[in-house]
Amino acid sequence: MPWSPEHKQQTRDKILQSAAHLFTHNGFNKVSINQVMERAGLTRGAFYKHFNSKKELYSEAVVYGARRMTRDRLDREPDLDRILDLYLSEEHVNSVADACPLAFLVSDIALRDEESRQGYQQVLKGFIKRLAQSTGKDMETATIASILMVGGVALARAVDSPELIEQILNTAKAESKRQLLEAEDVVN
Amino acid sequence: MPWSPEHKQQTRDKILQSAAHLFTHNGFNKVSINQVMERAGLTRGAFYKHFNSKKELYSEAVVYGARRMTRDRLDREPDLDRILDLYLSEEHVNSVADACPLAFLVSDIALRDEESRQGYQQVLKGFIKRLAQSTGKDMETATIASILMVGGVALARAVDSPELIEQILNTAKAESKRQLLEAEDVVN
DNA sequence: GTCTATACATTGATAGAC
DNA sequence: GTCTATCAATGTATAGAC
């Protein structure tokens, strides 16, 4: 029975990790606390020693999942061209692994409470700013690219036809690369 | 008691209209059949004489709402510049009136059954094709503009800060207008 | 075709033993 | 801190009177 001082923190992290995965892929309503705890290797009853409500868990899990995604993907991949390939890929859209909550939950968040939306908002702001800084482009260009990336993945996830999915992803990929990676046009 | 032959059809339409509004603004799970029927001026029990399940209602309501939106807005407004102003406006994002299911439900649809996703997909295809035809641009340009429009409204709905909402909407508006309305660049 | 009443399942949250 | 047991609420779907 390892009741070491950091045991609770580790358990909390396992719950958050489980919740981030389940919520990102299934939204708020289709995930039960039971599922989250089972995936974390625990039972329902223990949940409320770590969080006050399902809403609170969701709010924290969205930020947790987004930050994890950022750290594991963006931070260790210096090549932005490759990041765009990965983000706007069928593997990401159909991912069984971790995915980007910004895209997967974009219209799930709109239905949640203020805490959840503000967490999402902070992550989105960081996402846009990071794109701007790493490319040297202005905030407007980074915003365009962000809408294309997040909107592209969200839209691709909403349809079935492989051709349409490919059309959406390839178009968003090409245009966001054009916006972010090509040299400034003298005409503009 | 007007049990005229078209009475059932009228009732069905009232249910669909109520459902389209409620589902578009609140997603599948936060809407109950009770709510839908109340808004249509009926009670729960009558529902199953018109539809077989909540899923079936949702599937039809999404298409119904999208087509209504298209007919009432796009068809009677010849000025595309003005259409973009209306679509990418705070009024649309915060609408209490009818809104575009393509944007409001983009990540709600991904969680539903195949029938719902295919309905959504047909509407989206029509949306892109219409943009291409009415501007004379190619499908790729129309796809970019669609992602910016749908993604822009969806993202704006996910955040709280008025400044960020404005930034997202204005950027998406300017870029989609540039894509759709400006003359071809000779350089490209 | 619409109503009221109800069966039945799910699930968020709490209580109490260990 | 984790477990089992349970409460209370919600909501889909069905049954049967009118």
Side-chain angles (χ1 to χ4, degrees):
Chain A
M1 290 291 184
W3 280 12
S4 57
E6 69 271 12
H7 182 217
K8 181 168 182 180
Q9 179 60 38
Q10 284 182 1
T11 303
R12 208 185 128 96
D13 251 53
K14 274 193 357 192
I15 297 175
L16 271 176
Q17 195 174 331
S18 165
H21 184 271
L22 289 171
F23 280 136
T24 300
H25 286 79
N26 304 109
F28 181 83
N29 276 293
K30 288 187 87 172
V31 175
S32 70
I33 298 193
N34 210 3
Q35 280 180 278
V36 174
M37 294 303 277
E38 263 180 20
R39 194 172 217 271
L42 299 165
T43 54
R44 251 210 307 272
F47 172 73
Y48 292 91
K49 302 288 177 186
H50 298 274
F51 299 91
N52 291 316
S53 67
K54 185 184 176 184
K55 288 179 183 179
E56 186 183 302
L57 174 67
Y58 179 87
S59 174
E60 291 197 35
V62 169
V63 176
Y64 181 93
R67 297 228 188 285
R68 229 178 88 100
M69 186 85 183
T70 305
R71 270 205 311 277
D72 292 359
R73 304 282 161 77
L74 304 194
D75 287 359
R76 65 183 53 175
E77 175 58 65
D79 186 0
L80 186 62
D81 189 271
R82 179 151 167 70
I83 287 178
L84 287 167
D85 283 339
L86 290 172
Y87 195 94
L88 287 159
S89 69
E90 293 184 41
E91 288 70 34
H92 184 198
V93 168
N94 303 321
S95 78
V96 285
D98 284 348
C100 180
L102 288 180
F104 279 44
L105 296 178
V106 61
S107 53
D108 198 64
I109 284 286
L111 306 177
R112 306 278 89 81
D113 60 11
E114 200 185 326
E115 284 68 33
S116 300
R117 291 201 306 279
Q118 288 192 346
Y120 182 96
Q121 175 169 300
Q122 290 311 312
V123 173
L124 176 64
K125 279 183 178 173
F127 187 86
I128 299 174
K129 186 171 274 181
R130 169 185 288 261
L131 279 185
Q133 285 173 344
S134 64
T135 58
K137 300 278 181 173
D138 57 25
M139 285 296 283
E140 194 180 351
T141 304
T143 303
I144 294 172
S146 299
I147 300 173
L148 287 169
M149 291 172 70
V150 172
V153 169
L155 261 181
R157 230 173 106 75
V159 300
D160 276 330
S161 148
E163 294 80 20
L164 185 53
I165 293 176
E166 200 189 347
Q167 175 188 334
I168 292 168
L169 291 178
N170 284 344
T171 304
K173 205 187 301 176
E175 180 63 15
S176 54
K177 284 185 183 180
R178 196 184 75 77
Q179 294 275 350
L180 289 175
L181 299 174
E182 281 188 17
E184 303 284 343
D185 194 344
V186 182
V187 178
N188 289 342
Chain B
M1 291 290 182
W3 279 11
S4 55
E6 70 271 12
H7 182 216
K8 181 167 183 182
Q9 179 59 38
Q10 284 182 1
T11 303
R12 208 185 127 95
D13 250 53
K14 271 186 13 185
I15 298 175
L16 271 177
Q17 196 173 330
S18 165
H21 183 271
L22 288 171
F23 280 136
T24 299
H25 286 79
N26 304 109
F28 180 83
N29 275 292
K30 288 187 86 173
V31 175
S32 69
I33 298 193
N34 209 3
Q35 279 180 280
V36 174
M37 294 303 276
E38 262 180 20
R39 194 171 217 271
L42 299 165
T43 54
R44 248 209 308 268
F47 173 74
Y48 292 91
K49 300 291 177 186
H50 297 274
F51 299 91
N52 291 317
S53 69
K54 186 184 175 184
K55 289 179 183 180
E56 186 182 303
L57 174 65
Y58 179 87
S59 175
E60 290 197 36
V62 169
V63 176
Y64 182 93
R67 297 228 188 286
R68 229 179 87 100
M69 186 83 183
T70 305
R71 271 206 310 277
D72 291 0
R73 303 282 160 76
L74 305 194
D75 288 359
R76 64 183 53 175
E77 174 59 65
D79 186 0
L80 186 62
D81 188 272
R82 179 153 166 68
I83 287 178
L84 287 167
D85 283 339
L86 290 172
Y87 195 93
L88 287 158
S89 69
E90 292 184 42
E91 287 71 33
H92 184 201
V93 168
N94 303 321
S95 77
V96 286
D98 285 348
C100 179
L102 289 180
F104 279 44
L105 296 179
V106 61
S107 54
D108 198 64
I109 284 286
L111 307 177
R112 306 278 89 81
D113 60 11
E114 199 185 326
E115 285 69 34
S116 298
R117 290 202 305 278
Q118 288 192 347
Y120 182 96
Q121 175 169 299
Q122 291 312 312
V123 173
L124 177 63
K125 279 183 177 173
F127 187 86
I128 299 175
K129 186 169 273 181
R130 170 185 288 262
L131 279 184
Q133 286 173 343
S134 64
T135 58
K137 299 277 180 174
D138 56 25
M139 285 296 282
E140 195 181 349
T141 304
T143 303
I144 294 172
S146 299
I147 300 173
L148 287 169
M149 292 173 70
V150 172
V153 169
L155 261 180
R157 229 173 107 74
V159 299
D160 276 330
S161 147
E163 293 79 19
L164 186 53
I165 294 177
E166 200 189 346
Q167 174 189 335
I168 293 168
L169 291 178
N170 284 344
T171 304
K173 205 188 300 176
E175 182 63 16
S176 55
K177 284 185 182 179
R178 196 184 75 77
Q179 295 275 350
L180 290 174
L181 299 175
E182 282 189 15
E184 302 286 343
D185 194 345
V186 182
V187 178
N188 289 343

